[in-house]
Amino acid sequence: MHVPTPFLARHQLPVRWQNKDRFIMLQFDFADGAGFLQAWQAWRQDPERSQRFYYFAMINAASMATCPLPELAALHDELASKWPALPRGFQRIHLEDGALILTLMWGEPLAQLRSLNATLDAADINTPDLSAAHYKALWRLSGADTRVVTHEKSGEAHLKSAGYLLQDWGDFQTGLCTRPPFDKSPTPPHHAMIIGAGLAGTSIAARLAVRGWKIDILEAQGEIATQSSGNHAGLFHPSASRDDNIPARLSRAGCAETQEHLTQLKNAGLDIFFGIDGILQIAKDDTQALLMQEIASGLPAEVLSWITQDDAAALLGECPNHGGWWFPKGGWANPASVCRANLAQWPAQIQLRCNSHVEQLIHTTEGWQALDQHGGVLAAAPVLIIANATEALKLLPELELPLSKTLRSTTLIPASATPRHSLTGSGYITPAFQGYRCIGAAEVKNDDLATAELCNLSELQSLLPAFTSGQSAGSRACYRPNSLDRLPLAGALPDPQSIRGAIHQLHQIPRLNSAYCLLGLGSRGLSWALIAAETLACQLHHDPAPIETDLQQAIDPARFILRKYRQSKQ
């Protein structure tokens, strides 16, 4: 029989996580990792453990160099092998086939607490000198069953004022929150109808299916992934900026989530085509090169590094027109294979209906109905998720969603031995897949695909002046769905017709009843889709959000309404 360690016993574990759908724990200081490793070991060995275990830990200068206890050596080594580079923000480590997620919170503790969106089951306060603001932020994360363990008696007054009833055990105190914040979020039935079966729709379907949801997907075409998700290959890598802005942070989280998801699909034995073999982003000119070097100097090499033109030539086997950023974990994938694998992993829970063009959506007392052109019901579900790119504008015109589209082309060229890695810049080239490499993506003007193809070949020549591409094997055109700020829309759909009074914050904007979207992936479908889908799935299932609060707000579909109201007051 497993005997709980003092760390676990103080938190009444493993009893408190047993037979639960999820258990959420926060540790203020990860320290040497002993607490987490002990919790991981006990959770793994417990046959009655929770289905999922979310562990959040603040970390500043901790290292996995030394194992805290000999009996934890195997777990320590596994964790150390997945230890990420630690730029600012949340860093998620997936363990136990994704059932255990450790989120490292890198940065100032108060800012990290305010960035967390979850209702905790347990909090371990092992950090001195916390202010009243820290405890107020902790209270915001509390529920009726949140139990704290604190080693810092200096915070006793703050905890009591926040509604915690404390019990003294000598060297530590424990307590439950007797006055938690009021949770107004509804718990919907676990059944959703998704419009669209491209990368967005299949990704959110998979993320809900793993949580036990029943999914109906309606696709207007005769098969899935026929629009932008039907391109031969696409790339994904983080972006970066001098101030580490929201697009940079979101893309970093997104690419990590994409890599994890693709690896999980491969390990499940599904037919999926991708590679994590590095991408070089080539500078456009000397001015951009200087800026890229400056930005790269502030980031870990595991994220990106600057390499000179000569080093790039040695890496690629072809000389590019400039140096650039090397992304060692940049990757590529065949999007259609990702879509198919998303659905194939959950055949009992996901029902796909192709040739199902939705003409109208209506809301009833039982949920949402999708109607065809004759008024027939194609599907019905309590929860609606719109994931059909700019076609959403036709279904919900009253929302005035800030979406646009441009017609873009991709061109196939015969496979070649060089460049040995993917390139991006003014254009891009992917690795070889099924005998071809994909380049793009020039805008198609006046339906002139031939001219767009020539532009693609010209952009490739500007990236690699000496490269001979051979004869084109054809091009395809598809619409690229964009949002006004080039960030995705993922979350509850707004209901602007119901706005009454002043609007100052996102939470004040009324929302359509049980209606959500995942739209506006633009040119970064492989970078955005999985992190946006996971964020939306967590919102629907009341799981902890995978990204910080400000990133969630940055992709909230109602953000443009908030901006409109704020501008009208100026």
Side-chain angles (χ1 to χ4, degrees), residues 276-327:
I276 312 293
D277 38 28
I279 293 175
L280 179 65
Q281 180 178 339
I282 298 174
K284 296 177 182 179
D285 51 40
D286 290 342
T287 300
Q288 188 184 51
L290 290 173
L291 176 61
M292 292 172 74
Q293 290 177 66
E294 177 189 341
I295 293 171
S297 66
L299 289 169
E302 296 93 331
V303 176
L304 69 86
S305 58
W306 168 264
I307 61 174
T308 65
Q309 185 180 27
D310 289 343
D311 289 340
L315 180 70
L316 301 173
E318 290 276 350
C319 187
N321 67 346
H322 223 302
W325 278 338
W326 169 243
F327 298 93

Side-chain angles (χ1 to χ4, degrees), residues 415-470:
S416 56
T418 60
R420 288 190 284 265
H421 298 279
S422 306
L423 298 181
T424 183
S426 55
Y428 69 81
I429 179 171
T430 71
F433 169 59
Q434 294 182 342
Y436 298 99
R437 303 182 82 145
C438 186
I439 64 174
E443 185 175 357
V444 181
K445 299 179 180 179
N446 302 317
D447 294 324
D448 188 353
L449 188 59
T451 298
E453 179 175 298
L454 291 175
C455 288
N456 284 335
L457 293 168
S458 175
E459 290 292 357
L460 175 61
Q461 202 71 43
S462 69
L463 292 176
L464 294 170
F467 180 73
T468 303
S469 62

